[in-house]
Amino acid sequence: MMAALELMRRSRIAPMLVTVALLTASCVCSPHGDREKDESSARDAIQATMDRYMVAARAVDADAAASFFTPTATLFEPGMSPVTSREAIRRFMSSFPGVRVEIATVTADEIEIFGDTAFYWGSYFERLAFPGQPLSEQHGKFVIEWKGQSDGEWWIERYFRVPLPDAQAPHGG
C-alpha cells in the first residue's frame, strides 16, 4: 500500500515538475526568441523598403526616392559635400535631367538591428547613360543607417556610398 501511495504521489509530481520546467524554459527563452523574431521581421521590412527605393531610383523619380529618407537625412556621395535634408536630397536627385538607368543593383551583405536603428551593409553596381556622354559604370560598397518609425516603417537617416575602381557587371544576372 505504501508503495502504491508513493507511486501516486510521484506520478502527480512528475507531470507538475515537467510543466514547471517547460514554463520556466519558455519564460527564459521567449524574450530571446521574440527579439530574434522582431529582428527578422525588421530585416524583412528594411529589405522590402530597399527594394521599393531601388524601383524609384531606377525610374529616376526624385520625389519618390527622396520620400524614403527622414526629413533630417544625409546622403554622402564621394567627391562632394554631404547632402542634408529630404528636400536637399530630392533636389540633388532631380539635378540629372535625361539620365537613363540601364542597371542599378544592390546586394545586402548584412543588416544589423539595434532597436529602432539598423545598418544595411552592401554592394552596388550601376550603369547610367547621361545625355551626350558615354555610359558610366560605378560599383562599390555602401552602408545605410535606417531609423524605425512608430508606424513600423523604416526610413533612411544616413546613406554612405564608397566607389571602388574597375567596375564590373554583376555575374549571373
Side-chain angles (χ1 to χ4, degrees):
M1 178 76 152
M2 279 302 258
L5 286 174
E6 183 63 24
L7 184 60
M8 282 182 14
R9 185 177 67 79
R10 284 188 185 166
S11 66
R12 281 190 231 149
I13 291 176
M16 218 165 48
L17 288 175
V18 169
T19 302
V20 168
L22 289 173
L23 287 173
T24 302
S26 70
C27 289
V28 169
C29 296
S30 161
H32 183 67
D34 287 347
R35 188 182 83 232
E36 286 179 1
K37 183 179 173 186
D38 290 347
E39 287 180 5
S40 177
S41 178
R43 275 187 200 84
D44 291 345
I46 291 166
Q47 185 60 60
T49 303
M50 186 66 176
D51 292 345
R52 291 191 311 275
Y53 170 78
M54 289 304 297
V55 168
R58 284 185 203 105
V60 194
D61 184 338
D63 293 332
S67 73
F68 289 89
F69 289 82
T70 67
T72 60
T74 303
L75 175 63
F76 296 89
E77 286 284 338
M80 57 182 279
S81 296
V83 182
T84 302
S85 86
R86 180 187 293 151
E87 179 55 27
I89 291 168
R90 187 199 63 72
R91 282 193 311 270
F92 170 74
M93 291 180 170
S94 66
S95 70
F96 302 101
V99 69
R100 189 178 77 249
V101 177
E102 289 198 355
I103 296 173
T105 62
V106 295
T107 303
D109 294 334
E110 180 74 32
I111 301 174
E112 299 176 303
I113 310 295
F114 303 96
D116 68 349
T117 299
F119 293 94
Y120 185 122
W121 302 85
S123 303
Y124 70 90
F125 178 85
E126 56 193 19
R127 184 178 303 132
L128 310 172
F130 292 91
Q133 297 180 19
L135 284 177
S136 169
E137 290 186 351
Q138 298 91 37
H139 80 129
K141 295 294 201 170
F142 69 89
V143 62
I144 299 174
E145 178 185 349
W146 294 84
K147 286 295 183 184
Q149 306 301 303
S150 60
D151 63 0
E153 294 291 318
W154 288 85
W155 290 356
I156 299 169
E157 179 66 22
R158 289 182 188 85
Y159 189 166
F160 299 85
R161 289 174 23 118
V162 180
L164 298 174
D166 303 318
Q168 297 294 317
H171 298 286

